[in-house]
Amino acid sequence: MNGSLVVTLMRLLLRARLRLMRWGVAICAASLLCLGGAVFWLWLLPQERAATVPLAMSTQVVLPTGVASQVASQVTASDNLARFYEALGAQDQVGEQVRILFALAAQAGLQLRQSEYKVAYDPIGRVASYQILLPLKGAYPAIWQFSLAALRAIPFASLDEINFKRDQIADAEPEARVRLTLYLLPTTPGGHP
């Protein structure tokens, strides 16, 4: 019986060696890694499920009925609307915001050409917007640095679009068109919320 076991084991080893020679080391190693990954995944999945079920149960918060309705009633739609209007910029200070943008561009080492401006007013939302298109030229990281600094400096601004362009492959610095929108409280009569 021991002899037949040794013979069977030798046959298996010979077959494995022949397959290894036929397939190559890379395919065999990849197959072993895939098999090991599948076994590990099948072993880990039940343990992961068992660990997440108690965690999910422990994070549920149950509030008494009176407390839940009290929390919900504390924040009203008019409170949220008031917070929204408080976050807007002042329309009469747009010139200062544009100066900030120009200073940030200079600080980032960017060349700023003639900008385009567009003013709009939404009578339903009672919000004015001031759209600024800035054609910039400079290093790619400097353009991103400027864009992020502008959003930090002017919290009521949105970055709507950035387009990069190189006229030639040899150009060291790309050109960019950065479109920002400032959302403002209108100064027109009846426009203020």
Side-chain angles (χ1 to χ4, degrees):
M1 184 144 174
N2 256 351
S4 66
L5 182 63
V6 171
V7 170
T8 305
L9 185 60
M10 292 299 280
R11 284 183 185 165
L12 287 173
L13 288 174
L14 181 61
R15 285 183 185 161
R17 186 173 177 199
L18 289 173
R19 284 194 178 137
L20 179 65
M21 291 172 61
R22 188 177 336 140
W23 288 346
V25 177
I27 292 177
C28 289
S31 299
L32 284 175
L33 283 173
C34 287
L35 180 64
V39 169
F40 182 72
W41 182 75
L42 289 173
W43 172 76
L44 184 66
L45 189 63
Q47 292 182 359
E48 188 67 30
R49 275 197 194 137
T52 57
V53 168
L55 179 63
M57 289 180 170
S58 68
T59 57
Q60 292 177 352
V61 178
V62 179
L63 296 173
T65 311
V67 174
S69 63
Q70 190 177 30
V71 169
S73 68
Q74 288 178 353
V75 179
T76 64
S78 61
D79 291 338
N80 286 334
L81 188 60
R83 286 186 193 137
F84 170 74
Y85 285 117
E86 287 171 8
L88 299 177
Q91 189 173 14
D92 58 353
Q93 297 206 352
V94 168
E96 180 61 29
Q97 306 307 323
V98 171
R99 279 191 285 284
I100 289 172
L101 292 174
F102 283 25
L104 289 172
Q107 185 179 7
L110 299 172
Q111 298 171 15
L112 180 61
R113 290 183 285 169
Q114 186 175 358
S115 303
E116 297 176 23
Y117 306 96
K118 181 179 169 185
V119 180
Y121 175 70
D122 178 13
I124 296 172
R126 296 181 297 184
V127 174
S129 63
Y130 195 78
Q131 195 174 78
I132 306 166
L133 179 64
L134 300 167
L136 302 168
K137 185 167 178 121
Y140 183 80
I143 294 169
W144 279 109
Q145 176 188 357
F146 161 78
S147 301
L148 294 174
L151 293 175
R152 279 191 297 269
I154 307 171
F156 46 89
S158 69
L159 177 61
D160 300 332
E161 179 181 359
I162 297 181
N163 290 319
F164 291 95
K165 178 180 108 176
R166 277 186 208 262
D167 289 331
Q168 298 176 4
I169 294 175
D171 287 346
E173 297 180 334
E175 292 182 20
R177 292 170 52 93
V178 177
R179 185 181 312 274
L180 296 162
T181 301
L182 308 181
Y183 293 96
L184 311 162
L185 279 174
T187 54
T188 58
H192 196 281

